[in-house]
Amino acid sequence: MPVPSYISQCIQYQKIAHEVYEFTLQKPEGFSFKAGQFVLFDFPLIDDESNVQTRAFSIASAPHEEYLFFVAKMLTGGRASRWIEEKLRVGSSLRLQGPFGNFVLKENDTSDLLFIATSSGIAPFRSQVLTVLQTQPDRQIDIVFGAHAEEDLFWLDEFRALAS
């Protein structure tokens, strides 16, 4: 069975840390996913828009949130990085396919959670933390979020607020 594809519009876009951007898309009608899954975005080559390739991005929003939320670490010369920095703006349309992936929480599991991530690798954990807190607010969750330098960190205020 083919995986559905959607066209969505960017409603928020900003640089949030050194070489890190976050962007928010309208959630397409009928799109549903589990915390921890990812989508594939179509990214045209900056110099040849007919040359399109997909890139995987973990969904940072929780399934119950109204919008789709993503974070991207810029890689010098990277196809998606260049497109995000040079072309993506509020109002831009993006084609996505998905959801994909089995990196999801086990149903009915109540064990403690330990999440370890660096940079944009924190995205699926944000989705999972918000999902767990909605249904199991007393469940123990620990996050280790590493970075090369303090300027590379982001979402700390949100995670601190969730911790309290």
Side-chain angles (χ1 to χ4, degrees), residues 3-164:
V3 176
S5 66
Y6 307 88
I7 303 294
S8 185
Q9 188 172 40
C10 179
I11 58 172
Q12 180 270 334
Y13 164 87
Q14 66 182 354
K15 188 172 185 176
I16 59 171
H18 179 68
E19 299 184 350
V20 178
Y21 287 84
E22 67 180 16
F23 56 100
T24 305
L25 305 179
Q26 291 283 350
K27 188 184 288 187
E29 189 172 325
F31 185 86
S32 64
F33 66 98
K34 293 180 180 178
Q37 290 190 300
F38 68 94
V39 299
L40 295 176
F41 284 112
D42 284 355
F43 287 107
L45 195 60
I46 293 290
D47 303 323
D48 179 5
E49 292 194 9
S50 67
N51 182 337
V52 177
Q53 293 180 3
T54 59
R55 296 292 185 269
F57 279 74
S58 292
I59 304 168
S61 49
H64 65 271
E65 290 185 292
E66 185 176 353
Y67 302 103
L68 294 177
F69 191 49
F70 300 91
V71 63
K73 168 77 170 152
M74 299 296 100
L75 300 173
T76 303
R79 176 187 289 259
S81 296
R82 283 195 64 203
W83 196 90
I84 289 168
E85 282 190 306
E86 297 176 31
K87 297 285 189 175
L88 182 62
R89 298 294 180 263
V90 171
S92 298
S93 292
L94 289 93
R95 181 179 174 273
L96 61 115
Q97 283 184 284
F100 297 98
N102 297 314
F103 184 60
V104 297
L105 299 167
K106 294 178 185 173
E107 289 189 36
N108 304 316
D109 186 5
T110 60
S111 61
D112 294 347
L113 295 170
L114 172 62
F115 297 132
I116 302 172
T118 60
S119 194
S120 60
I122 196 77
F125 298 137
R126 180 189 181 276
S127 179
Q128 291 175 337
V129 166
L130 292 174
T131 299
V132 168
L133 290 176
Q134 184 183 40
T135 59
Q136 301 169 323
D138 296 324
R139 190 169 176 186
Q140 179 68 38
I141 304 170
D142 292 298
I143 300 173
V144 177
F145 186 23
H148 292 287
E150 194 170 334
E151 67 184 0
D152 296 326
L153 294 171
F154 53 93
W155 296 349
L156 298 181
D157 290 340
E158 179 179 17
F159 285 123
R160 285 184 186 120
L162 291 170
S164 64

